[in-house]
Amino acid sequence: MEDDTYLSYLFRPKSIAVIGVSKTPGKMGYEILTNIVKYGFQGPVFPVNPKYNEIHDIRCYKTVLDITDDIDLAILVSPVERIPKIMSELKAKGVKVAVIVSGRRGNISSLPIAELARKYGIRILGPSSMGIFHSRSKLNATLGPLSVIEGNVGLITESRTLGMALMGLATMEGIGLSTVVGLGDKLDLNESDVLDFLMKDRSTRSIIMHLERISDPESLIDVLEDSITSKPVVILSSERDVREKLESFNGYIPIVDDVEQALDLALIMAGKSIKGDRVLVVTNSGGASKLVIGISNQTKVRLSRPSEDLIDQIRQFVPEGGICSANPIDLTGKAGTDIYRGVLDVALSSDDFNAIIAIYCETALSDPLRLSDMFYELWDLYEKPIIPVMMGGERSREAVLRLRHRGIPAYSSPCRAMRAIDSLVKIFLFSSK
Amino acid sequence: MEDDTYLSYLFRPKSIAVIGVSKTPGKMGYEILTNIVKYGFQGPVFPVNPKYNEIHDIRCYKTVLDITDDIDLAILVSPVERIPKIMSELKAKGVKVAVIVSGRRGNISSLPIAELARKYGIRILGPSSMGIFHSRSKLNATLGPLSVIEGNVGLITESRTLGMALMGLATMEGIGLSTVVGLGDKLDLNESDVLDFLMKDRSTRSIIMHLERISDPESLIDVLEDSITSKPVVILSSERDVREKLESFNGYIPIVDDVEQALDLALIMAGKSIKGDRVLVVTNSGGASKLVIGISNQTKVRLSRPSEDLIDQIRQFVPEGGICSANPIDLTGKAGTDIYRGVLDVALSSDDFNAIIAIYCETALSDPLRLSDMFYELWDLYEKPIIPVMMGGERSREAVLRLRHRGIPAYSSPCRAMRAIDSLVKIFLFSSK
């Protein structure tokens, strides 16, 4: 089998067998089948369990061997001790790729799964995989939630349960996913194999990798060195070993232990890149200005002073008492959508800055949703990224989510936005070395 | 006037005059009057503006001097240049306390407001104050949102616009406020005066202070040394000067530049204190366990091993493949409400630990809302704090908010919970020195 054939079976199967299905909600064999069917997988699905004749109104087979059609992808949720026998049946049926969802991580070394995989020529994801999600294939063969926002962030996770929660959290945080891959125990396919595929997947523009150990550091660094300039990666890990194994990688790869920060960084990395470290902050709050200046000192972000020319152009829009000759530019609490728009158009057209952060503290004077529509327009109009920060109550939250659903890196606090843009600046600084 | 009389006029006025009201939504003079009326202030409210006869169906007065009743508190939203004249009228009317909302911070030094305040014997909050909120007095005389969750966190802010956004964000994050005080320019009342009051306010159990400068470091340190062991404070600031001026304070006071972190810490500090640094983590995810161990190494939290006795008691509840002889205890993804309940009852009754973090990664197996009800019960039943972490989709978010509305420090990610409990441990370590 050629190198990418098995990956196309894995991510773009034409048919799926789910072995070890259940009729009991909450059981893995129920949840994963239900997700596949309800998410709208287009090809035939073959449930397998000798106990049932049908499930979800789909014919249920006694064994894999009873299925007469071809099977591109097998998903195993059976008790682990049955896996060797099922693998021999998969071999007999000519199945080339299997996702083993069952098994508890670190607990299945007694079974000869890796050996059988090699012997039978079957590529294995797992065991203890959380499954696989690929939005373009309408494939949600995971234990995670059914409602996922489709987008450009790829997620690779070793942990099954944490991965499920992460999928849910991404949706709550308004972040669209292209792909989710549960690595589990990595008995066969490892982090490098999957990362390499996601690096080539056009629907994926940035990647979060949850790692507890690196199976093959050399391969991983090879993949990163090949591709990270075109597709950024953030690693979610608090393992010293992971950090140490990546020390020899000559590039920028953030390693964070905060799930929300991982999502924040992946979101901005999936958007526009920047071509310099000069960032202009525009705000309606002097208090936010001061906070941002302090935070920027811990980052590589350069809040340089606008040129006299730019200051002159901005001045006309700034209300009395505002500040236009510094960075941040302070539009005062009186600033509404039109004032922001005037200043941002000028700033986004200027060569002084490589990106703009627009901070809006919610006031009674301007509607967060109107502002977010304007930010969306600007994101489309200009090549340079504009990073909206909208901080306040229900309508500000809604505005941030609405922007995020459109792929725009919007944040609910200055600190989160600054940390995120800091990662873009670091990507630029490394790539321009 | 005695020291606390003016403060009781400020926080518990029987009547309020609002000077410089407006009928234009979005104007400060409209928003603050509307908030006072709609939030349900119990006493008489006297709007003042020579242009109107009534506003919101309330009689509007030409000047303060036309009001025949007593005025406990005056709130000024008039243009700053009129303030000296209004102050002389307030003096004539016998008003003792005024909140000056108008004025742009740092821009009003040309007016003799501080001098007039001293001469007339009027205590001033502001100028450029965001106003005052005191839930017990049904007083929302702020420019912030009308919908506020009433709770135990006090908020003191120098910045008007940032303060408004913070009030909104607190509500979005499910955090209940007892008091909000806009310090503004601190021409008269400063951070120490207000902090001292909040330290004595029984509805306030922890305090967030947004500070850009400290008017009177000695007084502030005095207040902190007197009271911080009974009522913790977190400072929101990124100013080096604030940090330096507090260096001589002999106690623990976190200074953060992240608004969400400030809220996270204030929430846990408003709850139960702890009497040691030993924390047990119980989780349904091995991946979360690993993350938590890494994070704990950056904190003062001690994840000590449970005693053999406790392990024996816990073992009966732990599903196959779980881990009960380590910290975190791993209940596996199969753990539902009953399994958590069994383990948590035993752990909360044990002397091995000073607090428990219960991490739940959302799975299809257990309902976040049922779990959150159980966490609530345990919070009530035991003296020791239980810190729930519920990570996942919509229902997990709802569960976290429901717990927070009841004052329980629940979090949506392991990292946020660990940082929060770290602050409790540090309070304990300082207080036991």
Side-chain angles (χ1 to χ4, degrees):
Chain A
M1 184 162 50
E2 271 182 50
D3 213 39
D4 55 347
T5 316
Y6 76 88
L7 284 167
S8 89
Y9 282 136
L10 186 61
F11 288 95
R12 292 184 289 267
K14 291 199 183 65
S15 59
I16 304 174
V18 187
I19 301 143
V21 294
S22 165
K23 287 194 173 183
T24 311
K27 291 244 178 192
M28 296 198 296
Y30 175 89
E31 297 298 332
I32 212 160
L33 177 69
T34 307
N35 272 355
I36 293 171
V37 173
K38 289 204 177 164
Y39 200 75
F41 178 68
Q42 303 292 310
V45 179
F46 309 109
V48 178
N49 186 331
K51 284 199 285 185
Y52 311 126
N53 291 318
E54 63 73 38
I55 183 167
H56 285 320
D57 292 327
I58 305 171
R59 177 179 166 191
C60 190
Y61 296 81
K62 302 286 172 208
T63 74
V64 173
L65 297 173
D66 296 319
I67 302 168
T68 47
D69 299 63
D70 284 343
I71 303 166
D72 274 7
L73 177 64
I75 295 172
L76 277 65
V77 268
S78 324
V80 281
E81 59 275 14
R82 294 199 201 138
I83 289 176
K85 179 159 184 292
I86 295 168
M87 285 178 74
S88 76
E89 293 171 356
L90 293 177
K91 159 73 179 162
K93 185 77 189 106
V95 176
K96 300 293 184 203
V97 189
V99 178
I100 303 181
V101 172
S102 34
R104 177 139 182 91
R105 213 146 44 104
N107 278 6
I108 36 66
S109 48
S110 56
L111 292 170
I113 294 176
E115 293 77 352
L116 290 178
R118 265 193 303 276
K119 187 174 146 194
Y120 296 153
I122 302 174
R123 302 304 307 255
I124 298 284
L125 188 69
S128 191
S129 166
M130 75 164 282
I132 195 154
F133 167 82
H134 194 235
S135 69
R136 283 217 174 163
S137 317
K138 295 300 278 173
L139 176 67
N140 186 347
T142 73
L143 295 169
L146 188 62
S147 66
V148 185
I149 304 167
E150 300 189 355
N152 302 116
V153 174
L155 172 62
I156 300 171
T157 173
E158 274 189 38
S159 170
R160 193 167 53 193
T161 313
L162 187 72
M164 290 155 69
L166 259 170
M167 250 180 112
L169 191 67
T171 304
M172 279 317 299
E173 294 270 315
I175 290 169
L177 300 174
S178 57
T179 320
V180 180
V181 186
L183 293 175
D185 261 314
K186 305 195 275 195
L187 281 194
D188 174 21
L189 291 170
N190 66 22
E191 64 280 340
S192 313
D193 302 312
V194 172
L195 183 64
D196 190 46
F197 175 83
L198 261 63
M199 284 294 190
K200 291 167 187 155
D201 178 48
R202 274 180 306 153
S203 63
T204 300
R205 294 175 59 177
S206 73
I207 296 158
I208 299 173
M209 267 185 121
H210 166 256
L211 287 180
E212 290 179 4
R213 60 186 179 86
I214 298 179
S215 302
D216 184 347
E218 261 182 61
S219 297
L220 182 59
I221 289 176
D222 277 353
V223 175
L224 289 173
E225 284 179 350
D226 271 3
S227 322
I228 202 165
T229 50
S230 59
K231 200 170 287 188
V233 176
V234 49
I235 290 181
L236 175 63
S237 185
S238 66
E239 300 297 311
R240 206 193 330 180
D241 188 56
V242 166
R243 203 171 281 274
E244 283 172 2
K245 288 221 167 81
L246 286 169
E247 259 165 20
S248 67
F249 167 56
N250 181 31
Y252 170 64
I253 186 156
I255 304 176
V256 304
D257 54 23
D258 178 358
V259 287
E260 283 166 347
Q261 192 180 2
L263 291 168
D264 279 354
L265 299 199
L267 172 69
I268 204 168
M269 289 169 167
K272 299 173 179 178
S273 63
I274 59 176
K275 293 173 183 65
D277 60 353
R278 288 164 301 140
V279 174
L280 179 69
V281 179
V282 177
T283 167
N284 66 341
S285 157
S289 292
K290 289 272 177 62
L291 268 186
V292 161
I293 292 168
I295 297 166
S296 75
N297 293 332
Q298 305 153 32
T299 69
K300 294 280 183 195
V301 175
R302 194 143 59 96
L303 302 183
S304 49
R305 192 174 183 275
S307 64
E308 290 308 318
D309 180 49
L310 183 57
I311 293 169
D312 278 346
Q313 291 181 68
I314 287 174
R315 186 170 287 122
Q316 58 180 310
F317 301 105
V318 178
E320 207 196 319
I323 297 166
C324 62
S325 59
N327 189 357
I329 286 173
D330 184 351
L331 304 178
T332 81
K334 287 177 199 144
T337 307
D338 297 342
I339 290 175
Y340 271 98
R341 175 70 196 239
V343 173
L344 292 173
D345 264 322
V346 168
L348 284 161
S349 309
S350 148
D351 289 331
D352 286 14
F353 295 98
N354 308 104
I356 316 281
I357 297 180
I359 299 178
Y360 164 72
C361 288
E362 190 173 337
T363 68
L365 211 65
S366 43
D367 177 23
L369 294 175
R370 240 194 98 202
L371 262 162
S372 74
D373 285 343
M374 185 268 289
F375 290 141
Y376 177 58
E377 253 183 85
L378 292 177
W379 179 270
D380 258 13
L381 268 174
Y382 294 94
E383 202 192 324
K384 264 175 233 169
I386 171 164
I387 316 297
V389 178
M390 306 190 74
M391 181 177 156
E394 186 62 48
R395 289 176 74 79
S396 290
R397 180 177 147 80
E398 199 186 324
V400 166
L401 288 178
R402 202 187 269 196
L403 287 165
R404 286 181 159 207
H405 289 172
R406 290 160 163 175
I408 297 164
Y411 296 91
S412 57
S413 84
C415 183
R416 288 176 76 165
M418 286 299 287
R419 280 191 314 207
I421 203 157
D422 185 36
S423 69
L424 281 197
V425 168
K426 283 173 179 158
I427 289 170
F428 161 77
L429 292 174
F430 263 93
S431 66
S432 64
K433 256 184 187 173
Chain B
M1 184 163 47
E2 270 181 51
D3 213 39
D4 56 347
T5 316
Y6 76 88
L7 284 168
S8 87
Y9 283 135
L10 185 61
F11 288 95
R12 293 184 288 267
K14 291 203 183 61
S15 59
I16 304 173
V18 186
I19 301 143
V21 295
S22 165
K23 288 195 172 182
T24 311
K27 291 243 179 195
M28 296 197 295
Y30 174 90
E31 298 297 333
I32 211 160
L33 177 69
T34 308
N35 272 355
I36 294 170
V37 173
K38 290 204 176 164
Y39 200 75
F41 179 68
Q42 303 293 309
V45 179
F46 309 109
V48 178
N49 185 331
K51 285 199 285 186
Y52 311 126
N53 292 319
E54 64 71 39
I55 181 166
H56 284 319
D57 291 327
I58 306 170
R59 177 180 165 190
C60 189
Y61 296 81
K62 302 287 173 207
T63 74
V64 173
L65 297 173
D66 297 320
I67 302 167
T68 48
D69 298 61
D70 283 345
I71 302 165
D72 274 7
L73 176 63
I75 294 172
L76 278 65
V77 267
S78 325
V80 281
E81 58 275 13
R82 293 197 202 140
I83 289 176
K85 181 163 181 294
I86 295 168
M87 285 178 73
S88 76
E89 293 172 356
L90 293 176
K91 159 72 178 161
K93 187 73 189 108
V95 176
K96 300 294 184 204
V97 190
V99 178
I100 303 181
V101 172
S102 35
R104 174 136 184 93
R105 213 148 42 106
N107 278 5
I108 37 64
S109 49
S110 57
L111 292 170
I113 294 176
E115 293 78 350
L116 291 177
R118 265 192 302 276
K119 187 173 146 194
Y120 296 154
I122 302 174
R123 302 304 307 255
I124 298 283
L125 187 69
S128 189
S129 165
M130 74 163 283
I132 195 155
F133 166 82
H134 195 235
S135 69
R136 283 217 174 163
S137 317
K138 295 297 282 171
L139 177 67
N140 186 347
T142 73
L143 296 169
L146 188 62
S147 65
V148 184
I149 304 167
E150 299 189 355
N152 300 316
V153 173
L155 172 63
I156 300 171
T157 171
E158 276 190 36
S159 171
R160 192 167 53 193
T161 313
L162 187 72
M164 291 155 69
L166 259 170
M167 253 178 110
L169 191 67
T171 303
M172 279 317 300
E173 295 269 314
I175 290 169
L177 300 173
S178 58
T179 321
V180 180
V181 186
L183 293 173
D185 261 315
K186 306 194 274 195
L187 281 193
D188 176 20
L189 291 170
N190 66 23
E191 63 280 341
S192 314
D193 302 312
V194 173
L195 184 65
D196 190 44
F197 175 83
L198 261 61
M199 284 295 191
K200 290 165 187 155
D201 178 47
R202 274 181 304 153
S203 61
T204 301
R205 294 175 59 177
S206 73
I207 297 158
I208 299 172
M209 270 185 118
H210 166 256
L211 287 181
E212 289 179 3
R213 61 188 180 84
I214 298 178
S215 301
D216 185 346
E218 262 182 61
S219 298
L220 182 59
I221 288 174
D222 277 353
V223 176
L224 289 173
E225 283 177 351
D226 272 3
S227 322
I228 202 165
T229 50
S230 59
K231 202 170 288 187
V233 176
V234 49
I235 290 182
L236 175 63
S237 184
S238 66
E239 299 297 311
R240 204 191 333 180
D241 188 56
V242 167
R243 202 171 282 273
E244 284 172 3
K245 288 219 168 80
L246 285 169
E247 259 164 21
S248 66
F249 167 57
N250 182 29
Y252 170 65
I253 187 159
I255 305 177
V256 304
D257 54 21
D258 179 358
V259 288
E260 282 165 349
Q261 192 179 2
L263 292 168
D264 278 353
L265 300 198
L267 172 69
I268 205 167
M269 289 169 166
K272 299 174 179 177
S273 62
I274 59 177
K275 293 174 183 65
D277 59 354
R278 287 165 301 139
V279 174
L280 179 69
V281 179
V282 177
T283 168
N284 66 340
S285 156
S289 292
K290 289 274 177 61
L291 268 185
V292 161
I293 292 169
I295 297 166
S296 75
N297 292 332
Q298 306 154 30
T299 70
K300 295 279 183 195
V301 175
R302 195 145 57 96
L303 302 185
S304 49
R305 192 173 184 275
S307 65
E308 291 308 319
D309 181 47
L310 184 57
I311 293 170
D312 279 344
Q313 291 181 70
I314 287 175
R315 186 169 287 124
Q316 57 179 311
F317 301 106
V318 177
E320 206 197 319
I323 297 166
C324 62
S325 59
N327 190 356
I329 286 172
D330 185 350
L331 303 179
T332 81
K334 287 178 201 144
T337 307
D338 297 341
I339 289 175
Y340 271 98
R341 176 68 195 242
V343 172
L344 292 172
D345 265 321
V346 168
L348 284 161
S349 308
S350 148
D351 288 332
D352 286 13
F353 295 98
N354 307 105
I356 317 282
I357 298 180
I359 300 179
Y360 163 71
C361 288
E362 190 173 335
T363 68
L365 211 66
S366 43
D367 178 23
L369 295 174
R370 241 194 95 202
L371 260 162
S372 76
D373 285 342
M374 185 269 289
F375 291 141
Y376 177 56
E377 254 184 83
L378 292 177
W379 178 270
D380 259 12
L381 267 174
Y382 295 94
E383 202 192 325
K384 265 175 233 167
I386 170 164
I387 316 298
V389 178
M390 306 189 74
M391 181 177 157
E394 186 63 48
R395 290 176 73 79
S396 289
R397 180 177 146 80
E398 201 187 324
V400 165
L401 288 178
R402 202 187 267 197
L403 287 165
R404 286 181 160 208
H405 289 173
R406 291 161 164 175
I408 297 163
Y411 297 91
S412 57
S413 83
C415 183
R416 289 176 77 165
M418 286 299 287
R419 282 191 313 208
I421 203 156
D422 185 37
S423 69
L424 281 197
V425 167
K426 283 173 178 159
I427 289 170
F428 161 77
L429 292 173
F430 262 93
S431 67
S432 63
K433 259 184 186 171

